[in-house]
Amino acid sequence: MRFKLAVLPGDGIGPDVIAEAVKVLEAVAGRFGHSFDMSYGPVGGAAIDETGTALPGDVLKMCRRADAVLLGAVGGPKWDDPQAKVRPEDGLLALRKGLGLFANLRPVKAFPVLVDSTNLKPEVIRGVDFIFVRELTGGLYFGRPKRQWRTSRGRRAVDSMVYSEQEIERIVRVGFELARRRKKKLISVDKANVLESSRLWRQVATEVAAEYPDVELEHMLIDACSMRIIQNPRYLDVLVTENTFGDIVTDEASMLAGSMGMLPSASLAGVPREGVKIPGMYEPIHGSAPRRAGLDMANPIATILSVAMMLRYSFALPGEAAAVEAAVDAVLDEGYRTYDIMDEGKTRVGTKEMGNLIAGKVEG
Ligand code: IPM
Ligand code: MG
């Protein structure tokens, strides 16, 4: 099969990890007889330097024409001035909105070989395997009004947590669809004891549940959820929540996996269903780590696992996705580690060698 791919390496270690993910994708192409047409474009700080905007119009167009987008990372101290008119993160938000990527999937898995190298007790971490579905194009990130102004009594600012029932319905549906294919348990996370938008969220989630009688729905408050993530993460399977809550708790949850360098993500423009190809954007959950850029240090696994998610959700190639995931497991089992997951008695490798090893396993 033939697929069109937009590749946006971005800033910092973005280009480092993207190069390895592309290697792995080429290995998939070779072994399974697919072809991936890749076009590259700048986003984030790289785009600001080149064009003055964080997402040039022709790059957005290229992404719209593609079957999927592969993104590295954006941002860095160079563009961090709070007074700046344009920020690298604007590029990411414009991509999410411009491509209609309302569903952000963030799987959190404790790799057996890494349970001893996290900051938490191995007996709490072992066997952790859940997935957060984060709403990505609504809530505080995009709600209006959103501004800062001066009054006679000083400065004021407002952000708005706005949700329509349609926005809630489609994201909750993503949660139910995933739950149906896993343990048939969905946790909807909100702050319904305080927030009006959460009360609507809870009502709509309960209404959609009627269409999924095979899935058990539980409501959980966001504060209790963030406690549960540390206290008993094995309790969790599929969770769905709004944009800002999801942003915060997925960073927290990433610590269960040992390193942010291990966690992939998918941002989808539709509800994932078996055998259906959905346009999407795939990126590691970590940032641009500017101090590590170009040093052949960064862990490319999160980006490589993002490629596996792309194969699964945008290309409907579950076998190929599983081959990539198995290759990552095999290389970890053999004891290879980048600096962020290095442990006694293991073999330390750089970004490129890690990519070569995984691509080699995919080739078989
Ligand atoms: C994330 C990031 C982004 C977000 C930033 C870079 C705008 O933290 O993808 O979680 O807040 O969504
Ligand atoms: Mg975040």
Side-chain angles (χ1 to χ4, degrees):
M1 296 218 260
R2 264 192 110 79
F3 297 98
K4 252 207 261 157
L5 202 61
V7 184
L8 315 180
D11 308 319
I13 58 169
D16 303 358
V17 293
I18 287 292
E20 303 317 306
V22 166
K23 242 182 230 172
V24 171
L25 205 51
E26 274 159 2
V28 169
R31 168 153 162 212
F32 295 92
H34 302 303
S35 95
F36 301 107
D37 299 334
M38 299 186 224
S39 347
Y40 286 74
V43 67
I48 294 175
D49 288 352
E50 240 178 80
T51 68
T53 91
L55 179 65
D58 55 335
V59 175
L60 178 59
K61 258 190 225 138
M62 177 181 95
C63 293
R64 283 213 173 105
R65 278 196 304 264
D67 299 304
V69 180
L70 182 63
L71 181 104
V74 298
K78 183 173 171 194
W79 308 280
D80 251 356
D81 175 6
Q83 311 281 347
K85 289 225 163 39
V86 51
R87 305 172 53 84
E89 290 77 10
D90 299 341
L92 194 54
L93 297 184
L95 271 170
R96 290 174 180 171
K97 200 68 173 177
L99 299 173
L101 305 170
F102 67 89
N104 184 215
L105 273 41
R106 296 189 168 184
V108 177
K109 221 164 143 175
F111 285 80
V113 293
L114 299 181
V115 287
D116 291 314
S117 48
T118 75
N119 291 345
L120 290 130
K121 291 197 182 112
E123 60 267 30
V124 175
I125 303 297
R126 198 166 286 116
V128 163
D129 180 1
F130 60 85
I131 181 163
F132 256 105
V133 180
R134 170 188 174 195
E135 201 290 325
L136 204 58
T137 52
L140 289 172
Y141 278 60
F142 296 95
R144 301 279 154 180
K146 182 187 202 65
R147 65 189 186 101
Q148 210 185 109
W149 71 100
R150 291 179 187 279
T151 74
S152 54
R153 281 172 295 147
R155 286 170 296 172
R156 305 197 68 175
V158 63
D159 291 286
S160 307
M161 195 183 271
V162 184
Y163 274 105
S164 70
E165 60 177 315
Q166 291 80 6
E167 284 175 305
I168 299 169
E169 193 203 311
R170 63 184 182 177
I171 193 70
V172 166
R173 218 172 266 289
V174 174
F176 276 110
E177 288 291 331
L178 293 182
R180 189 166 254 182
R181 281 188 245 154
R182 294 176 51 118
K183 294 191 182 151
K184 303 188 187 307
K185 260 189 57 184
L186 174 65
I187 299 176
S188 171
V189 182
D190 63 37
K191 186 70 185 172
N193 53 348
V194 177
L195 301 177
E196 205 53 51
S197 56
S198 280
R199 286 191 275 270
L200 179 61
W201 184 285
R202 198 172 274 219
Q203 283 162 31
V204 173
T206 306
E207 288 157 18
V208 177
E211 290 174 47
Y212 296 86
D214 51 323
V215 178
E216 181 197 329
L217 171 67
E218 175 183 346
H219 301 284
M220 194 182 278
L221 295 172
I222 179 65
D223 45 354
C225 177
S226 60
M227 183 266 289
R228 193 60 73 92
I229 287 170
I230 300 299
Q231 178 228 19
N232 183 14
R234 264 193 304 261
Y235 179 78
L236 312 171
D237 191 54
V238 182
L239 305 99
V240 61
T241 194
E242 72 87 40
N243 204 344
T244 305
F245 296 161
D247 176 47
I248 298 167
V249 288
T250 53
D251 265 33
E252 181 196 4
S254 75
M255 285 297 97
L256 306 177
S259 164
M260 287 185 94
M262 298 297 293
L263 289 190
S265 81
S267 303
L268 305 179
V271 180
R273 293 198 169 89
E274 209 87 46
V276 175
K277 301 187 187 89
I278 301 166
M281 181 164 83
Y282 300 83
E283 57 180 311
I285 80 150
H286 60 68
S288 62
R291 283 180 306 133
R292 316 259 183 224
L295 299 179
D296 194 33
M297 268 183 94
N299 184 351
I301 292 179
T303 315
I304 290 169
L305 291 174
S306 301
V307 162
M309 292 187 88
M310 172 187 293
L311 292 164
R312 181 168 289 122
Y313 293 112
S314 285
F315 301 161
L317 298 172
E320 285 79 342
V324 171
E325 287 158 354
V328 169
D329 286 341
V331 168
L332 289 172
D333 283 344
E334 285 171 12
Y336 295 102
R337 301 284 187 273
T338 42
Y339 80 95
D340 56 314
I341 51 174
M342 185 55 193
D343 222 345
E344 242 178 77
K346 304 300 178 197
T347 311
R348 180 157 165 190
V349 296
T351 312
K352 294 188 181 123
E353 195 177 346
M354 185 56 98
N356 291 341
L357 286 162
I358 296 169
K361 292 279 182 209
V362 169
E363 277 155 11

